[in-house]
Amino acid sequence: MAQFHGKSGSVTFTGVSTALDTVTNWSVNATADTAEKTSMNDTFKTYLAGFKDWTATVECQADDAGPDITALGSEAALVLLSSSPDIGGTAICTGISMAVDANDVGKTTFTFQGSGTLA
């Protein structure tokens, strides 16, 4: 089974001028819808597979200039791990949040809605 380590992870989001090379973590959540097809005489519920969906979150160290707010709502290629195979796909930036802690550097978190296949 192939494995990868967090230190080899990388993020590329074309169309965002804020550097995503200060990434501290990322996550992907892939889901599949189901449609229930249970009838009244069934003992157990049964389902049919439906549409698939995915979202991603990328946390970066905050840039002195602040995040590129123009990235919000933009669609671009998101590659979360440059390896074989890559993990990612076309995504829309749906949120940008900023946070700072007294004991840490500032963080900017980008959230993405996948559009199409997660490779």
Side-chain angles (χ1 to χ4, degrees):
M1 176 197 307
Q3 298 177 345
F4 62 92
H5 190 278
K7 71 178 184 175
S8 64
S10 65
V11 176
T12 303
F13 183 65
T14 59
V16 178
S17 65
T18 301
L20 294 185
D21 57 354
T22 59
V23 173
T24 55
N25 66 70
W26 58 262
S27 65
V28 172
N29 184 28
T31 60
D33 295 338
T34 57
E36 186 177 345
K37 68 169 204 149
T38 308
S39 64
M40 292 180 73
N41 292 329
D42 291 340
T43 303
F44 286 91
K45 290 183 177 183
T46 54
Y47 298 88
L48 295 174
F51 293 108
K52 297 176 185 177
D53 192 19
W54 64 278
T55 59
T57 303
V58 177
E59 184 179 76
C60 306
Q61 294 175 357
D63 190 321
D64 289 343
D68 180 4
I69 299 299
T70 61
L72 192 60
S74 64
E75 181 179 280
L78 180 64
V79 179
L80 298 170
L81 179 65
S82 298
S83 67
S84 181
D86 290 340
I87 298 172
T90 301
I92 300 166
C93 182
T94 58
I96 301 172
S97 62
M98 294 144 276
V100 67
D101 182 295
N103 296 314
D104 200 359
V105 298
K107 305 284 185 185
T108 301
T109 302
F110 295 87
T111 54
F112 300 96
Q113 174 62 58
S115 180
T117 303
L118 174 65

